[in-house]
Amino acid sequence: MSRDARLYPLRQTHVEPDDDALWNWAQNAQIGTSNQVRRPASEAELQKLIQTSRGQIRVIGSKLSPGRMLKVGKDDLLLDLSALRGLIASDDHSVTFAGATPLEQVYRRLTEMNRMLASSPGVIAIQTLAGAMATGTHGQGLQQSSIADEALSIRMVLADGSVREFVRGDADFPAAQVSLGALGIVTAVTLRTQPFRIFTCHKNAVSADTLEEDLLRWNDDYTLSKAWWFVDDNLMHVWNAHEASDEERQRYEAQGRQVVEHEGEVDESLNDTIDQTLAHMHRDTQIHGKGGKQFRTVTRFRDFTDVTGDIYQLFCRGIAVPQINVEIGVPLAKTPAIIRRIKAWYAENRPHMHYPIILRCTGASSAWLSPASDQPTCFFGFVVYYADDGSLSQEGLHFLTEVEKLLAEEGGRPHWGKYYDEDRYNWRELYPQWDAFRALRSQLDPQGRLGNDYITPLFD
């Protein structure tokens, strides 16, 4: 298998109905077979399954991760924990959800309770709570970090079938927050909550000439900030949100808590750039006409306007489409210099831009293996969508390869649940607590039962 095929596998577009092969969500990797899947109905059944089985075990969750994180050998098991979901308990300051609860259900129940998380949501809401935490999923805004940073306690079934409750304040709690599924199987998470708030999001199209300074200013001035960098046109599309005014909040409530679009403020200045980006995407994906979901990810920027809504309505807007998604977090302090370096590299090489660069900054994370561990971080996100025949734009992949190389040289840490070239990273240098995590893993799972051909070499 070539290096590119290993990093960016083609997608299987036709799966026979009677085929027992089990694929990840993007259908670009077989992770096992259907007869290897076990579906325990309770935590007690999960404990018994672990105690009476042999071989390695991985949890499939929503199967959004690259295949290497999920794949098991022929004598191993895959766990479907979809029976272990839903709200377990709540009080005035926290909620406890089963680990397999989809984020969209977490957000919906919190809203019904007039509560919210301090962390901005992950944009793809079909992922499970445990999976989002295990991979370091995050939102945008320096006043928050990853979803895992809102955990107060994490309940796991360990490799020997026993149960361990990791509680905030425990010496090894930061290991459990972002664990890659290597310490135990998460069955419940208690999250701290805060009162429900409404935000007004200001959307602008501005030049990227001063992006180096602007990005830091946006994140200092606004509670939540997210930007898309259309490098070909030297333009930024920016979403900056702050808490809504009393008047804006009243309009929102009067409209039945539906998103309020601000009247008379439609901005068409990005439309030509959107058309150019769509032309690139149509060519790269070989899809003609209006196409599918992937095109809606940029057409929503046409004729944009300011909006008022809750944090989930405004920022949990991801559209789940099979793609190669690379996201690298770099120290916020180095971000202006890195942006200048990307600009210089682009000017010299004029690479093909399949999709705008997505920029999201977060505060420091307390989790040992979070890409934002111990430092405010700027995440650079890159996407290449699959064509209908399962192929990928080679020009788009070349851009991913080169920009990841650049960011890795600057001390970048990749998002665990997305695609990256592990050969570019020295984990021990990037994560000061790497050896402490490895030691805890060896203590909790000495036989490596919660591993696979990716996890085991990563830590051993």
Side-chain angles (χ1 to χ4, degrees):
M1 179 184 293
S2 70
R3 184 172 176 278
D4 280 353
R6 175 175 60 85
L7 293 176
Y8 314 124
L10 300 183
R11 183 170 183 264
Q12 179 74 24
T13 57
H14 301 288
V15 177
E16 296 298 328
D18 58 349
D19 189 353
D20 71 346
L22 187 67
W23 296 79
N24 66 338
W25 178 83
Q27 291 188 185
N28 62 17
Q30 183 179 346
I31 60 176
T33 61
S34 56
N35 60 17
Q36 291 177 279
V37 178
R38 300 293 182 271
R39 298 178 175 85
S42 64
E43 183 182 81
E45 280 193 24
L46 172 61
Q47 291 179 267
K48 184 176 180 181
L49 175 63
I50 292 174
Q51 292 165 346
T52 58
S53 65
R54 296 291 180 267
Q56 294 184 311
I57 298 172
R58 293 297 286 170
V59 179
I60 60 177
S62 55
K63 299 187 287 189
L64 288 170
S65 294
R68 63 187 176 187
M69 292 194 73
L70 306 174
K71 185 176 181 180
V72 294
K74 62 183 180 64
D75 297 321
D76 302 327
L77 296 181
L78 291 165
L79 292 182
D80 176 353
L81 301 183
S82 56
L84 307 181
R85 58 173 58 179
L87 180 66
I88 297 173
S90 66
D91 59 31
D92 290 342
H93 304 288
S94 69
V95 290
T96 302
F97 281 95
T101 308
L103 289 184
E104 57 191 354
Q105 185 176 340
V106 173
Y107 302 152
R108 184 171 60 252
R109 290 303 302 269
L110 283 171
T111 300
E112 292 170 355
M113 299 162 63
N114 279 321
R115 305 294 294 177
M116 60 179 284
L117 303 180
S119 66
S120 182
V123 297
I124 302 298
I126 62 173
Q127 60 187 308
T128 65
L129 173 60
M133 290 176 55
T135 54
T137 292
H138 62 91
Q140 50 278 306
L142 292 179
Q143 297 177 28
Q144 54 86 61
S145 193
S146 73
I147 295 174
D149 285 281
E150 299 313 307
L152 294 173
S153 67
I154 303 168
R155 183 178 175 91
M156 291 186 186
V157 175
L158 304 182
D160 63 358
S162 64
V163 174
R164 164 80 189 274
E165 191 97 8
F166 294 84
V167 179
R168 181 172 290 273
D170 292 349
D172 51 10
F173 181 76
Q177 288 175 279
V178 176
S179 68
L180 280 68
L183 299 182
I185 298 167
V186 175
T187 56
V189 179
T190 298
L191 300 160
R192 56 190 174 191
T193 65
Q194 59 181 233
F196 184 71
R197 291 189 290 163
I198 304 302
F199 297 86
T200 289
C201 182
H202 301 281
K203 302 181 181 181
N204 296 287
V206 299
S207 168
D209 284 348
T210 55
L211 175 60
E212 299 91 321
E213 297 81 25
D214 292 341
L215 184 67
L216 299 186
R217 176 173 54 80
W218 295 329
N219 279 276
D220 283 338
D221 291 349
Y222 291 91
T223 307
L224 304 164
S225 183
K226 183 175 183 178
W228 291 261
W229 183 6
F230 293 85
V231 187
D232 283 339
D233 289 347
N234 194 39
L235 280 176
M236 302 297 302
H237 184 46
V238 189
W239 291 7
N240 289 323
H242 57 71
E243 194 159 356
S245 67
D246 288 342
E247 180 183 353
E248 290 166 339
R249 188 179 299 107
Q250 290 169 7
R251 287 183 60 197
Y252 175 76
E253 294 291 349
Q255 196 163 296
R257 289 193 167 186
Q258 298 300 309
V259 172
V260 176
E261 293 189 357
H262 292 211
E263 298 175 359
E265 301 175 8
V266 173
D267 192 324
E268 302 176 355
S269 61
L270 205 62
N271 289 4
D272 288 344
T273 295
I274 297 306
D275 289 340
Q276 177 176 299
T277 302
L278 288 172
H280 287 173
M281 292 174 65
H282 280 296
R283 190 195 75 179
D284 291 349
T285 60
Q286 306 161 35
I287 300 171
H288 303 289
K290 293 184 179 179
K293 293 179 180 179
Q294 58 268 61
F295 302 110
R296 297 211 309 268
T297 64
V298 290
T299 54
R300 63 185 176 183
F301 299 153
R302 195 192 304 276
D303 300 331
F304 60 85
T305 183
D306 294 351
V307 293
T308 296
D310 68 43
I311 191 172
Y312 311 120
Q313 292 169 324
L314 299 185
F315 287 95
C316 193
R317 298 288 307 281
I319 300 173
V321 184
Q323 61 188 252
I324 296 296
N325 191 325
V326 173
E327 187 177 43
I328 312 297
V330 300
L332 184 66
K334 298 179 68 173
T335 299
I338 291 171
I339 289 173
R340 285 191 289 271
R341 186 176 172 189
I342 291 175
K343 285 181 174 180
W345 172 74
Y346 176 84
E348 180 179 351
N349 296 280
R350 291 288 171 179
H352 172 71
M353 297 297 298
H354 173 84
Y355 195 83
I357 298 173
I358 306 166
L359 297 171
R360 296 188 290 167
C361 300
T362 76
S365 170
S366 60
W368 287 351
L369 295 193
S370 168
S373 179
D374 292 333
Q375 60 189 17
T377 296
C378 181
F379 288 88
F380 288 72
F382 313 92
V383 172
V384 174
Y385 289 110
Y386 280 96
D388 273 359
D389 64 0
S391 65
L392 292 158
S393 162
Q394 294 305 302
E395 290 177 307
L397 294 183
H398 174 72
F399 172 77
L400 292 188
T401 299
E402 293 303 309
V403 78
E404 182 183 3
K405 184 190 306 180
L406 183 155
L407 293 172
E409 291 171 357
E410 296 287 349
R413 297 164 169 169
H415 188 300
W416 293 112
K418 299 182 180 180
Y419 294 82
Y420 58 89
D421 182 355
E422 64 268 29
D423 293 340
R424 300 198 184 282
Y425 305 96
N426 184 318
W427 306 117
R428 183 176 283 107
E429 290 182 0
L430 290 173
Y431 292 99
Q433 297 296 329
W434 187 260
D435 285 335
F437 185 93
R438 292 176 63 238
L440 181 62
R441 176 177 175 268
S442 295
Q443 174 191 333
L444 298 180
D445 185 13
Q447 296 179 322
R449 292 202 65 201
L450 303 178
N452 62 3
D453 288 346
Y454 165 74
I455 292 293
T456 301
L458 185 66
F459 294 111
D460 295 343

